[in-house]
Each structure stands twice: as C-alpha cells, then as structure tokens.
C-alpha cells in the first residue's frame, strides 16, 4: 500500500543524503516535494500542512544545517515525524476487563468486517490463548450469519446459534449472556454495514453499543477508500465512539494516505492491519516499523517474527544439522521452499529487507513470484523418494519423465539441481563443519569463536562494528556509516542471476543477486 509514497519520499531523501551540506533553500525545496508526495498519496490536507510545518521547524534548526551528515539527519527527522503521525507506539486490542470482554466491529458493507472478526478471533485464540465466541448481528445481508459460522468452523472458534426474528440489540444481549454462561474470555460482535453512511446504520450501531457495553469498538476500514476513510472514521467516532481502527486490504494498491490521515484526524490508534486474504494475514500496527518500510529502511523485526511464527524450530534444527554434514537432499530443499512460501513468498520476504524497496520495479521484472517456488516444488514432487535422496541418479531419461510430470522442461530441472548443489556447498561452509567458512572468518577476526555466529554473537558483532549492522542496534558508532542510509551501494558476493528459478536473470541494476545462491563462473 505504501509503495508509491515510499518511492517518492525515497527519491527526495536520496538526493538530500548525497549533498555534503544543506542550506535552508535545500530544505525548503525538499519539503515542497514531501508535501506534494503526501498529497498525491491521498493524505488529508490538514495533516499534510501540520506534518510539513513540524518537519520545517526541526529541519531548519542548527541540528541539521551544522550536522556532520545533514542529509541523514533529515531522513531521521522525517522518520520520527512519520512515527508521530501514525501513532507513537503499538496499541494492541485491550482485554483488560471482566470476562467475557465484548469487542464490537463497525464499518461499511464490503470493508471486510466478517472476515476480520474471524481473523481477530483466530489471533486471540492462537496467540492469546483466549476462548472466543463470535456472533453475527447482520440480519439484512443474505447468508451473513452463515458466513461467520463457516469461518468459525474453519478456524475452530464457536459462533452463536442463530435464532430467527431477533433484532441486533437482542442478539448482542444474548451473546453476552451466552459468553458468561459458557465461560468465554472474549465475545466478538459483527454488526451490519451499508453501502454508504446512513442514519439507520448509525442508530442500530448505537443501540447495539448500549445493549452490549463493549470494551472495544473497532472500525474496520478499507485502505483503498482513501479520503473517504477519514470521513467514515470521524462519523463513527461521533455517533458510536471508537476505541481503535483496523485497516483491511493493506496489501492492495491503495496509496497509504488513509493510514496517515485517520490516526491524525481522529486521534484513534490503528490497532491491526489486514495484509492478505488468508485467515492468518493480520498484523499488529507498529508505527515505527511502518515508517521504516515507507522510507525503505526495511523491517527486519517483522521478518524475524514471521519466521519465528511459521518455522518449525525442531525441523529447522534437523535440516541445519543435515546441511552442516553435507546431507542436504532435495526433500530438505522442498521443506525450505515451502517455508519460504508460508512466510509470504520471495517478493514478500525481500520487501522487508533494508534497501530492497528501491529495487521493486527491477524485482518485478525478474519474475520473483510464488509461481517460481510452486514450479520448483512441483519438480521435486515428481521425483521418486530415491531420486530426492540421491540427485546424482537423475540422468536424461529420468529428467524427461520428471519434466512431463511437473509440466516443466529439462533445463528447469538442471537449474534446480544446480541451485541445490550451491545451497548445500554454501551452508556446509557456513555451518562450522569447516572453520574456514566466510562467517567463521569474520567471527574469528572479531573474537567471537569459530563457526557461524549465534544471534547473540551477531548482536555483539553489531556493537563492535563502527556502524553496526542493518536492522541491529549499533554500538558507539550510531547507525550506518555516512553514505549508507539503507544498504551499501554494492552487496558483495551475492552472485548474478537466480539459478534454478526458471525466470530471466536479474537485471544489471540489481546489486548482486540473492545471498547464498553463488556467482556464475
């Protein structure tokens, strides 16, 4: 959603960071461009005006003009101001109330309220270990109650039994009572919506609120609605009283203005964002991380959290041990590809890496999509167990059979086998089986011992290096060295092209290919 804004702000700030010293005129010119970028991203005019005024007050001060690296200081000021506009801290759903805690969802029809109710229920069940009861209060939309019941069955969450002829306030009271008698921790009330704001919907929502006295009233808003989202939030807040906002379709091609405007205009925190259609595609809204993504700084913390949530630790340890011993076969490789797909595919993962946002168009040209991963898994699935364990058996006749079974060509199989060999060699070198691996050499040099450094050692390494490591706290050096706002201009040793991915090679502008896939000799 923030791609367009990220591209524009990134270009403006890149030009500033290349200047040795900044004059007041330089800052004024940059602020004009920032203002235009925000307006084009559909941010409300009042919010833009306030944002640029605060930026100017900070940027024209002695802090920037006399700074050692004034361009980078401006980047920091823009980042801090974005965080302040989006809301300074994470505000999760508040469950600090007597059980059952009522959570009421309001919003327009089609904004994704019912699906969001199920996503929140699953999140509270899986992560919060809460017992949740869901109820649909939509008595007008055909099959609305049935939709929630089906979602409830899919995720293993109870839904209130439908009783024909009841009005929404009656259903709300019955849900609270059922929650109390059934020992539920949380009850979710999914209210009815309309195509547009109207008096009947507002009156019904206010009646439901009086009947259920919800602890949280969350507005579910579609991120694609732009400026209308601000009017919607203001109207619901005046009539019903909101405690927070959930933005859906953040993975769409909206321009990001809704998120910046809604928080600033209503003062209500954005608590959650829907990042996809799957039932687990819901994230807490962290202003600092979102600001980092907008400015192309990446989001290493989210990447690590996503990995922790989706990767089976024991299985990963077994695979790592097999890699270290050189016993990494095609079955292990298929598990790696499946985990990558679960974590959001290659493009989704790379979008969280620092500096990669600026290369989005080149990545698109390189066909970095999930079809590549699916094609590779199809090739491995078409092999016999014996062939997966011992890829050396794959001669021409076997490759011909596998290609026919997976709908690919022999060349694709050759690329996959080459990728497998490269991954095995690199992982064996890095795993500590040989103390001469690239990471081992760096670790030894800095007194961290041989082999691949642990996460704790990487933190120590970050402190010892003068500028720290991207995405890790730096030592006394404070952040990245001058001239490195996101990543170094060249990423050494990352090879050229994507062996085994079946698509065209990465364009020349892409700095070095992908880590671990080796250079073409």
């Amino acid at each position: 959603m923030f791609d367009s804004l990220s591209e524009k702000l990134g270009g403006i700030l890149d030009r500033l960071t290349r200047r040795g010293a900044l004059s007041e005129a330089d800052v004024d010119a940059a602020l004009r461009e920032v203002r235009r970028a925000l307006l084009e991203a559909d941010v409300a005019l009042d919010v833009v005006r306030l944002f640029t005024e605060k930026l100017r007050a900070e940027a024209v001060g002695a802090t920037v003009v006399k700074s050692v690296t004034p361009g980078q200081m401006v980047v920091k000021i823009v980042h801090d101001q974005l965080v302040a506009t989006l809301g300074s801290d994470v505000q999760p759903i508040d469950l600090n109330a007597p059980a059952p805690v009522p959570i009421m969802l309001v919003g327009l029809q089609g904004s994704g309220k019912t699906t969001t109710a199920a996503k929140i229920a699953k999140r509270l069940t899986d992560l919060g270990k809460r017992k949740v009861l869901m109820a649909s209060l939509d008595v007008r939309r055909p099959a609305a109650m049935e939709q929630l019941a089906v979602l409830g069955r899919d995720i293993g969450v109870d839904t209130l039994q439908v009783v024909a002829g009841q009005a929404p306030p009656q259903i709300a009271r019955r849900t609270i009572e059922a929650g109390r008698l059934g020992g539920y921790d949380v009850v979710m009330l999914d209210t009815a919506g309309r195509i547009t704001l109207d008096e009947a919907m507002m009156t019904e929502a206010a009646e439901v609120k009086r009947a259920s006295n919800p602890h949280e009233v969350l507005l579910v808003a579609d991120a694609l609605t732009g400026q209308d989202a601000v009017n919607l939030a203001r109207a619901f807040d005046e009539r019903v009283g909101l405690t927070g906002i959930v933005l859906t379709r953040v993975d769409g091609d909206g321009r990001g203005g809704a998120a910046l405007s809604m928080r600033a205009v209503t003062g209500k925190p954005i608590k959650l964002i829907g990042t996809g259609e799957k039932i687990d595609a819901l994230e807490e809204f962290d202003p600092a991380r979102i600001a980092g993504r907008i400015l192309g700084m990446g989001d290493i913390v989210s990447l690590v959290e996503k990995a922790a949530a989706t990767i089976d630790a024991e299985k990963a340890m077994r695979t790592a041990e097999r890699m270290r011993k050189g016993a990494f076969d095609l079955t292990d490789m298929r598990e790696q590809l499946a985990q990558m797909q679960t974590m959001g595919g290659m493009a989704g993962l790379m979008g969280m890496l620092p500096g990669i946002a600026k290369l989005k168009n080149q990545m698109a040209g390189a066909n970095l999509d999930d079809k590549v991963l699916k094609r590779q898994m199809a090739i491995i699935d078409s092999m016999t167990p014996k062939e997966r364990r011992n890829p050396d058996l794959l001669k021409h006749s076997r490759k011909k059979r596998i290609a026919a079974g997976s709908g690919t060509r022999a060349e694709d199989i050759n690329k996959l086998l080459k990728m497998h060999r490269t991954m095995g060699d690199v992982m064996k070198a890095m795993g500590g089986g040989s103390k001469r691996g690239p990471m081992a050499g760096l670790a030894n040099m800095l007194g961290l011992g041989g082999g691949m450094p642990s996460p704790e050692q990487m933190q120590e390494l970050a402190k010892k290096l003068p500028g720290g490591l991207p995405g890790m706290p730096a030592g006394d050096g404070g952040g990245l060295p001058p001239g490195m706002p996101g990543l170094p201009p060249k990423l050494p040793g990352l090879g050229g092209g994507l062996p085994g991915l079946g698509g065209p090679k990465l364009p020349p502008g892409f700095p070095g290919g992908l880590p671990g896939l080796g250079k073409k000799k």
Side-chain angles (χ1 to χ4, degrees), residues 63-357:
T63 326
V64 166
V65 179
K66 294 184 181 177
S67 166
V68 181
T69 53
Q72 287 185 324
M73 186 62 80
V74 172
V75 174
K76 182 186 183 303
I77 291 169
V78 172
H79 178 269
D80 292 348
Q81 193 54 47
L82 273 174
V83 172
T85 306
L86 290 166
S88 54
D89 54 1
V90 183
Q91 295 202 28
I93 290 178
D94 182 15
L95 299 178
N96 189 20
V101 181
I103 298 175
M104 176 179 167
L105 300 184
V106 297
L108 295 182
Q109 192 171 311
S111 59
K113 281 194 308 300
T114 304
T115 308
T116 300
K119 285 181 176 182
I120 294 173
K122 180 173 173 58
R123 187 180 179 85
L124 293 176
T125 304
D126 293 350
L127 300 181
K129 308 300 179 194
R130 308 288 176 137
K131 189 179 178 186
V132 182
L133 175 66
M134 300 191 294
S136 173
L137 279 62
D138 191 344
V139 294
R140 291 179 178 79
R141 183 165 65 89
M145 293 180 169
E146 183 59 29
Q147 181 191 354
L148 192 67
V150 169
L151 287 169
R153 284 198 294 275
D154 288 346
I155 61 174
V157 172
D158 295 336
T159 50
L160 187 73
Q161 193 174 356
V162 177
V163 174
Q166 284 195 324
Q170 292 174 297
I171 300 172
R173 280 191 286 268
R174 187 161 61 89
T175 308
I176 302 294
E177 189 59 31
R180 193 175 292 114
L181 294 173
Y184 290 91
D185 300 310
V186 178
V187 294
M188 304 281 308
L189 303 173
D190 176 26
T191 63
R194 303 283 194 285
I195 299 298
T196 56
L197 285 169
D198 68 13
E199 184 58 32
M201 175 175 65
M202 290 298 186
T203 304
E204 184 179 290
E207 287 173 359
V208 168
K209 185 180 180 184
R210 278 195 297 274
S212 58
N213 191 25
H215 187 62
E216 286 270 27
V217 181
L218 302 177
L219 169 66
V220 180
D222 189 333
L224 302 181
T225 52
Q227 287 293 301
D228 270 354
V230 179
N231 302 329
L232 177 74
R234 195 185 278 124
F236 269 105
D237 192 32
E238 287 170 0
R239 290 296 301 273
V240 186
L242 301 176
T243 60
I245 297 164
V246 181
L247 272 184
T248 59
R249 296 195 211 175
V250 171
D251 57 323
D253 57 359
R255 288 178 287 182
L260 283 166
S261 304
M262 290 171 86
R263 174 69 177 84
V265 170
T266 64
K268 305 299 178 190
I270 299 171
K271 298 203 169 191
L272 297 162
I273 50 174
T275 54
E277 293 181 10
K278 291 184 179 175
I279 208 74
D280 58 353
L282 189 72
E283 295 178 10
E284 278 188 349
F285 184 82
D286 187 324
R289 295 188 200 173
I290 295 292
R293 285 194 208 179
I294 291 174
L295 296 182
M297 295 173 182
D299 188 355
I300 295 293
V301 181
S302 285
L303 187 58
V304 172
E305 284 179 356
K306 189 171 276 196
T310 56
I311 291 175
D312 182 329
E314 285 184 27
K315 192 183 284 185
M317 286 295 286
R318 283 198 302 272
T319 305
E321 185 61 23
R322 285 169 60 78
M323 278 179 158
R324 194 179 68 79
K325 291 177 178 175
F328 178 66
D329 63 18
L330 288 165
T331 304
D332 298 320
M333 186 175 174
R334 193 198 183 286
E335 283 182 7
Q336 301 294 307
L337 295 170
Q339 284 180 353
M340 190 184 288
Q341 193 175 29
T342 306
M343 288 172 64
M346 195 171 291
L349 295 181
M350 292 183 73
M352 292 186 187
L353 296 175
I356 296 290

Side-chain angles (χ1 to χ4, degrees), residues 432-451:
S434 160
K435 301 268 180 183
R436 297 187 297 275
M439 295 300 286
L442 181 60
N444 275 323
M445 184 178 74
L446 292 155
L448 299 178

Side-chain angles (χ1 to χ4, degrees), residues 336-379:
Q336 301 294 307
L337 295 170
Q339 284 180 353
M340 190 184 288
Q341 193 175 29
T342 306
M343 288 172 64
M346 195 171 291
L349 295 181
M350 292 183 73
M352 292 186 187
L353 296 175
I356 296 290
K358 297 170 187 173
L359 305 168
K360 274 218 160 124
N361 294 334
Q362 293 171 334
M363 284 166 60
N367 281 347
L368 290 181
D369 58 18
D370 288 347
K371 289 178 187 172
V372 171
L373 300 177
K374 287 176 183 172
R375 189 158 60 238
Q376 289 178 323
M377 288 193 283
I379 291 171

Side-chain angles (χ1 to χ4, degrees), residues 6-55:
S6 177
E7 198 176 311
K8 289 186 173 67
L9 287 180
I12 296 162
L13 296 173
D14 275 353
R15 288 195 290 278
L16 285 182
T17 50
R18 286 197 289 266
R19 307 288 284 270
L22 295 182
S23 65
E24 198 167 320
D26 291 332
V27 175
D28 283 343
L31 286 178
R32 276 197 300 276
E33 291 190 57
V34 168
R35 178 188 175 89
R36 188 182 297 120
L38 292 172
L39 289 171
E40 285 177 7
D42 238 359
V43 181
L45 182 60
D46 294 347
V47 179
V48 174
R49 192 177 292 129
L50 191 63
F51 186 92
T52 48
E53 280 172 8
K54 287 182 178 176
L55 270 186

